[in-house]
Amino acid sequence: MPSPCRLRAAAVTVTALLLTCSVAGCGGDAQDEDLTAQELSWKDCPAPSQAEGGGSAPSPLPDGDGWQCATMQAPLDWDDPEGDTIGIALIRARSSGDESRRIGSLIFNFGGPGGSGVSTLPAFGDEYAALRTRYDLVSFDPRGVGRSAGVRCENDRQLDAYFQQDGTPDDAAERTALLAHTKDFNAACEKNSARMLPHVRTTDAARDMDLMRQVLGDDRLYYFGISYGTELGGVYAHLFPRHVGRAVFDAVVDPTQDAEQSSLGQARGFQLALGNFAAHCTSGTQDCPVGDTAQDVENRIADLLRTLDRKPLPGIFPRLLTQSAATNGIAQALYSQDFWEYLTEGLEQAYSGDGKVLMLLSDLMNGRSENGEYSNITAANVSINCADDKPRHSTAQVQEKLPRFRAASPVFGDFLAWSLVGCTDWPVPGAADHPDVGAPGSAPILVVGNTGDPATPYEGARKMVDALGRGVGVELTYKGQGHGAYGSKNTCVQSAVNGYLLDGKVPAAGTVCS
């Protein structure tokens, strides 16, 4: 699976989207009649734009069918649905099964926030072959992302400097520098994207999805949300509970937490995943090249990061592997157990004075291509988070909170604490402390939590079930590693998810897969 949720070592909030909205306050089911009647012009997909991550046009599916792309028009401002519009980029693979058994379109959001669904879905489309037998597989670039009126902030050269900055200031001078970098980045977002910044909240994206549902010809929304996509799905269910068809939330964001609580939870989650990696490395029949015991592995990583804070290593010329970049790279590798071998390799090289592998992992986290160009995932991530998160934190407040974050994670605590100042100078006010995902009257939503998930800790699944309301959320537990469960290819998880989406079979609440 991709890495839908992002840990940022720089001063950018890494929490999931947090907002609240009542149905009446957000306009409920009201849509502009002309937009719901629009017909999409599906064509062969071009290569992803650089804002979407670049690369080649998507390859045909295993059965030879190609991917199709289109653009849906949506209101720029949902409070003025007859005003200016923006284009929402879509991608689909038509159902491979008998048309008489086709259910509708299954819409995916892979998280971020800020990830391009148009570039992500083809990369993992074969994993959803079973679901394609009864659905068109559909994804999209949410507003502000990729080709959907993508937000622009700093240029590639400026972003290189942005990600080299010290994300864990130790004194007044370093704190001043961090805040200056953050203020410059936020000012660039306002300069280049002021028109979009007030309109990238999750409520806006949820309303786009309901328009999408209608334009695609479905009476109800069939949905697969991963990581931040669970937050988006919960907000959709709150706004349009009676439009929910079959929905699955995987790698579940805790909707009850504010930005601080979410960052603190991620600190614990990534530290847990790091401990699991260390235990795995030292429990095999072969020697672990990065430590003798699990505690030794963790201690050596913490020592490496402290050393990099004083003296960075050569990375990918001309850039250096800083403490920030190394922490980003380590976090990226913890999203999937498949990446643990690269983390071992990167650490082994770093201990020998070579920072290339950890920097490559960091670049993957930040959306940087080998040619030095960035996607717009950072700009979109910051813009959406800051539009949604109401709290604005001062340096004094962060310093007060540092002991709790350090206790939660000696490796990631400082970075996640200082990320809280990322929205301090943001030009648009945040919507709320946390979202309202209560969805009385909704069809059942399958909520899948992974006990070893670093980015969306397992406890969030139960909180989402409770917040959705009685009779809506159905919890399934996967005892595994990495971010998310379905992409692990665990047959128990996939059988439960496929059984619900394809045949409407709701698994028993509390089902456990291992």
Side-chain angles (χ1 to χ4, degrees):
M1 287 303 298
S3 300
C5 205
R6 307 179 64 241
L7 175 96
R8 294 287 307 284
V12 176
T13 180
V14 299
T15 58
L17 295 187
L18 303 170
L19 70 163
T20 184
C21 184
S22 68
V23 173
C26 289
D29 295 348
Q31 305 275 17
D32 180 72
E33 184 177 353
D34 291 338
L35 292 179
T36 62
Q38 67 184 290
E39 294 187 7
L40 300 178
S41 177
W42 293 100
K43 299 178 181 179
D44 290 344
C45 292
S49 67
Q50 187 54 51
E52 292 172 309
S56 303
S59 301
L61 289 144
D63 61 4
D65 285 352
W67 294 91
Q68 298 177 316
C69 287
T71 301
M72 180 187 78
Q73 294 301 310
L76 168 66
D77 182 353
W78 272 106
D79 289 333
D80 182 19
E82 296 182 3
D84 293 344
T85 63
I86 58 173
I88 304 296
L90 308 178
I91 188 169
R92 76 173 179 184
R94 297 300 300 270
S95 171
S96 62
D98 187 332
E99 181 64 22
S100 66
R101 300 188 70 246
R102 178 182 175 276
I103 296 171
S105 294
L106 181 62
I107 297 175
F108 290 80
N109 181 278
F110 296 97
S116 166
V118 171
S119 63
T120 300
L121 182 58
F124 299 93
D126 58 347
E127 294 188 8
Y128 305 115
L131 299 174
R132 188 173 162 239
T133 60
R134 299 197 68 188
Y135 291 99
D136 294 349
L137 305 183
V138 177
S139 194
F140 64 107
D141 290 353
R143 55 174 56 219
V145 176
R147 280 200 172 101
S148 297
V151 172
R152 294 186 303 111
C153 296
E154 293 188 326
N155 61 32
D156 296 332
R157 178 185 56 79
Q158 291 169 321
L159 285 171
D160 272 347
Y162 181 74
F163 289 118
Q164 290 283 107
Q165 68 179 309
D166 187 344
T168 60
D170 300 313
D171 54 39
E174 290 183 353
R175 289 192 292 273
T176 299
L178 177 64
L179 291 177
H181 276 289
T182 303
K183 188 172 184 177
D184 288 346
F185 181 91
N186 294 354
C189 298
E190 183 176 23
K191 177 182 177 182
N192 294 318
S193 301
R195 179 173 181 259
M196 281 302 299
L197 298 186
H199 306 297
V200 295
R201 295 187 172 104
T202 304
T203 44
D204 299 313
R207 292 171 66 84
D208 291 342
M209 285 208 305
D210 201 58
L211 175 61
M212 198 181 306
R213 169 190 66 79
Q214 295 172 78
V215 171
L216 292 170
D218 289 338
D219 292 335
R220 293 180 180 271
L221 180 80
Y222 302 98
Y223 181 72
F224 198 137
I226 303 165
S227 194
Y228 160 74
T230 68
E231 191 77 36
L232 174 59
V235 171
Y236 179 91
H238 170 67
L239 295 176
F240 308 105
R242 300 194 183 280
H243 292 175
V244 175
R246 300 171 189 170
V248 172
F249 294 174
D250 186 8
V252 187
V253 171
D254 185 342
T256 68
Q257 293 181 333
D258 61 20
E260 178 188 343
Q261 293 165 337
S262 182
S263 291
L264 189 60
Q266 280 199 327
R268 296 189 185 101
F270 276 98
Q271 192 67 39
L272 172 66
L274 186 65
N276 291 339
F277 157 77
H280 176 81
C281 186
T282 56
S283 64
T285 56
Q286 297 181 337
D287 290 341
C288 176
V290 293
D292 296 327
T293 65
Q295 189 60 55
D296 184 42
V297 172
E298 293 189 51
N299 291 343
R300 292 190 68 190
I301 290 172
D303 288 343
L304 171 67
L305 295 176
R306 282 191 290 269
T307 300
L308 291 174
D309 193 26
R310 302 188 303 271
K311 186 179 180 181
L313 289 174
I316 299 174
F317 185 81
R319 294 175 300 144
L320 299 174
L321 181 73
T322 62
Q323 182 191 43
S324 297
T327 306
N328 252 5
I330 293 167
Q332 176 64 48
L334 294 176
Y335 275 101
S336 170
Q337 192 167 357
D338 292 340
F339 275 35
W340 285 5
E341 62 180 293
Y342 303 117
L343 178 54
T344 301
E345 181 183 358
L347 291 170
E348 192 174 13
Q349 289 188 7
Y351 295 145
S352 299
D354 183 351
K356 289 187 181 66
V357 171
L358 288 182
M359 179 154 273
L360 283 170
L361 288 167
S362 180
D363 286 348
L364 180 61
M365 170 79 80
N366 295 327
R368 189 185 195 272
S369 301
E370 290 183 7
N371 62 8
E373 296 179 337
Y374 286 85
S375 73
N376 94 313
I377 190 170
T378 295
N381 180 271
V382 176
S383 300
I384 296 168
N385 278 326
C386 292
D388 280 339
D389 291 344
K390 186 176 182 179
R392 300 295 188 247
H393 295 86
S394 68
T395 56
Q397 288 173 321
V398 172
Q399 286 177 284
E400 182 183 346
K401 302 174 192 303
L402 277 172
R404 292 184 64 206
F405 278 81
R406 288 169 176 165
S409 173
V411 172
F412 302 102
D414 275 38
F415 288 85
L416 284 159
W418 282 108
S419 75
L420 295 173
V421 302
C423 298
T424 298
D425 294 305
W426 194 250
V428 175
D433 289 329
H434 59 82
D436 187 348
V437 299
S442 169
I445 296 172
L446 182 57
V447 179
V448 187
N450 180 356
T451 58
D453 198 312
T456 50
Y458 168 67
E459 294 78 11
R462 167 50 51 186
K463 296 293 184 63
M464 177 66 81
V465 167
D466 292 342
L468 287 169
R470 188 177 180 85
V472 178
V474 178
E475 185 176 10
L476 183 150
T477 295
Y478 169 52
K479 291 185 176 180
Q481 303 297 330
H483 189 42
Y486 190 89
S488 71
K489 299 182 176 62
N490 178 272
T491 55
C492 173
V493 172
Q494 292 193 338
S495 177
V497 170
N498 293 348
Y500 181 48
L501 290 176
L502 295 173
D503 301 315
K505 297 178 181 177
V506 182
T511 296
V512 177
C513 295
S514 58

